[in-house]
Amino acid sequence: MRLILLALLPAALAACGNDGGYSSEDGTMPAPEPTMEEAAAEAQSNAGVSSDMPTPMEGSWATSTDRGDPAVSFSSDGETLLTLICRAEQVEGQGKTLVVQRATSEGGDSIDFLTSAGNVSIDAVALEMETPMIGGSVDPSTNGVATLVNANDAIRVRSGQDEIVVPAGEEMKTLVDDCRPERPEAEEEAEGEMDEEAETEE
């Protein structure tokens, strides 16, 4: 009797649908659901944020000034490829301006920065300079600009199909951060520290 029941077991499972087994028409196992890590990576990719940044090219950042304003430039093999300038306030009340210049023979109507913290795109035009360059400017208070300060190790700089990968140097981060307007939180913290010092002195 027991042998008969065992022999009938596969047929009984098939009659019940056997949802846990082969469910596709060709008899293959269905694709497994993505893991939490895979789903997070896909969501991050769809948002335009890259968690796996390529290795930055060889080169270094250097600080300088441009018409009296602070600037930083990235150079590789003796060629300046990227320059960021913090332009002082030209008209009272308008604030500072972050200017970006990039050497590229491909042209392009934008300079796109892709970082581990997010992306920012700056409209660009061709510049009349000896080395083919494009340039543009952006309000440093724009949220996307903060991604340059918060980038980890590398920053992809893209214009059209032309892309370079530069290191996220501290010189560049400092210039961009100093160019951004002071945040209210920082002002409150500074005021709180001053109040504490005043109370201590009393």
Side-chain angles (χ1 to χ4, degrees), residues 56-62 73-79 81 165-167:
M57 63 193 303
E58 293 292 332
S60 61
W61 288 94
S73 296
F74 177 79
S75 300
S76 179
D77 293 331
E79 180 183 3
L81 302 179
V165 182
V166 302

Side-chain angles (χ1 to χ4, degrees), residues 63-86:
T63 58
S64 61
T65 57
D66 184 285
R67 288 186 287 172
D69 294 324
V72 292
S73 296
F74 177 79
S75 300
S76 179
D77 293 331
E79 180 183 3
T80 299
L81 302 179
L82 183 66
T83 298
L84 284 77
I85 307 164
C86 181

Side-chain angles (χ1 to χ4, degrees), residues 25-122:
E25 294 180 357
D26 59 1
T28 58
M29 286 291 289
E33 292 295 323
T35 64
M36 291 291 288
E37 292 78 7
E38 290 171 342
E42 182 179 359
Q44 193 176 50
S45 176
N46 293 337
V49 180
S50 175
S51 58
D52 297 324
M53 296 297 290
T55 302
M57 63 193 303
E58 293 292 332
S60 61
W61 288 94
T63 58
S64 61
T65 57
D66 184 285
R67 288 186 287 172
D69 294 324
V72 292
S73 296
F74 177 79
S75 300
S76 179
D77 293 331
E79 180 183 3
T80 299
L81 302 179
L82 183 66
T83 298
L84 284 77
I85 307 164
C86 181
R87 288 280 180 232
E89 185 177 63
Q90 302 297 314
V91 178
E92 186 176 354
Q94 288 189 353
K96 300 175 182 177
T97 302
L98 182 65
V99 176
V100 180
Q101 299 174 349
R102 193 206 155 179
T104 173
S105 59
E106 301 294 327
D109 56 8
S110 69
I111 302 175
D112 305 320
F113 293 91
L114 292 80
T115 80
S116 58
N119 307 326
V120 60
S121 181
I122 300 173

